[in-house]
Amino acid sequence: GDSVTQMEGPVTLSEEAFLTINCTYTATGYPSLFWYVQYPGEGLQLLLKATKADDKGSNKGFEATYRKETTSFHLEKGSVQVSDSAVYFCALSQGGSEKLVFGKGMKLTVNP
Amino acid sequence: KAGVTQTPRYLIKTRGQQVTLSCSPISGHRSVSWYQQTPGQGLQFLFEYFSETQRNKGNFPGRFSGRQFSNSRSEMNVSTLELGDSALYLCASSPLAGGIYEQFFGPGTRLTVL
């Protein structure tokens, strides 16, 4: 079946550091790809998404590009802030379904 | 606009009991999905409902069941609770089915089984 593999961490960075979280997937066809973020005590929030190859999703300074040739959707941010401390999940869905397949999640802590 | 609400937020039950969790989607949303989140297994899909019909079901035993009402509110039930059912149960809603629209997640119900 479909699966998502991502860096699990935890990772601690200093404010203004560069962030990369690797995500690769295994799926048939052409899935849509997502990054979700979960802040302490809250549900998941959609951070960004891409629905076809070479699409770039971006939001709040975060970016990820759908690379079909490497089946990857790595998340990047050039300068992290303390407020970015959260757990980040990579996920995919197949056409016609609300079902999301998630990676294990990566906890990020950003220190001032 | 109010977000997805889940009740109760916390539950403590003992093995063998059953439990019902409730999810009220964002007003106007007709699709509801449920997920189980545990430290070991991560986030796993339970069910997807649209217009009172179950469209998709994850790989969980028959002790896990759900339903959706005509007002789009949804409930999930777990019977004969086991220790391993301790988890955060998340509900998500979207305007329609089909994976086209963004899903909005609730804060979850934290279930502890003793």
Side-chain angles (χ1 to χ4, degrees):
Chain A
D2 298 344
S3 65
V4 174
T5 302
Q6 66 171 107
M7 292 170 57
E8 292 186 29
V11 169
T12 301
L13 296 175
S14 297
E15 205 164 26
E16 299 184 2
F18 183 83
L19 170 71
T20 298
I21 306 176
N22 289 340
C23 171
T24 57
Y25 68 90
T26 301
T28 56
Y30 300 90
S32 294
L33 302 174
F34 307 84
W35 277 100
Y36 280 84
V37 58
Q38 187 174 34
Y39 298 101
E42 299 183 16
L44 280 74
Q45 299 176 23
L46 178 64
L47 183 58
L48 52 84
K49 69 176 184 181
T51 57
K52 60 183 188 295
D54 300 324
D55 263 3
K56 177 186 281 189
S58 62
N59 186 25
K60 299 181 181 179
F62 291 90
E63 291 184 341
T65 300
Y66 190 142
R67 301 287 188 199
K68 185 154 180 65
E69 63 276 14
T70 55
T71 62
S72 65
F73 193 54
H74 305 322
L75 182 68
E76 296 183 338
K77 186 174 185 181
S79 175
V80 295
Q81 306 300 311
V82 173
S83 57
D84 294 326
S85 297
V87 181
Y88 292 81
F89 294 90
C90 185
L92 68 80
S93 72
Q94 293 281 18
S97 173
E98 299 290 283
K99 175 184 175 181
L100 291 163
V101 176
F102 287 93
K104 293 286 191 181
M106 195 205 80
K107 182 176 182 179
L108 170 68
T109 301
V110 180
N111 293 323
Chain B
K1 202 179 219 184
V4 177
T5 57
Q6 293 188 245
T7 56
R9 291 293 310 276
Y10 302 91
L11 263 180
I12 299 176
K13 293 286 187 178
T14 56
R15 278 181 298 174
Q17 288 187 310
Q18 76 165 27
V19 67
T20 299
L21 312 182
S22 179
C23 171
S24 293
I26 291 172
S27 178
H29 285 196
R30 294 167 59 195
S31 176
V32 173
S33 298
W34 288 88
Y35 295 83
Q36 181 195 64
Q37 186 176 20
T38 60
Q41 298 299 315
L43 280 153
Q44 294 186 286
F45 171 79
L46 280 157
F47 327 96
E48 173 193 344
Y49 287 91
F50 178 73
S51 292
E52 301 178 68
T53 300
Q54 187 179 90
R55 296 186 77 238
N56 209 341
K57 187 179 192 300
N59 188 25
F60 279 82
R63 301 184 296 107
F64 291 80
S65 63
R67 59 179 176 169
Q68 186 180 34
F69 302 95
S70 58
N71 61 357
S72 295
R73 190 176 69 85
S74 178
E75 289 181 347
M76 66 163 284
N77 184 277
V78 188
S79 62
T80 320
L81 284 166
E82 300 177 0
L83 294 179
D85 296 334
S86 295
L88 181 67
Y89 289 88
L90 293 168
C91 165
S93 77
S94 65
L96 293 170
I100 300 172
Y101 298 92
E102 177 180 348
Q103 295 188 56
F104 294 83
F105 283 79
T109 293
R110 172 75 62 185
L111 172 64
T112 301
V113 182
L114 302 176

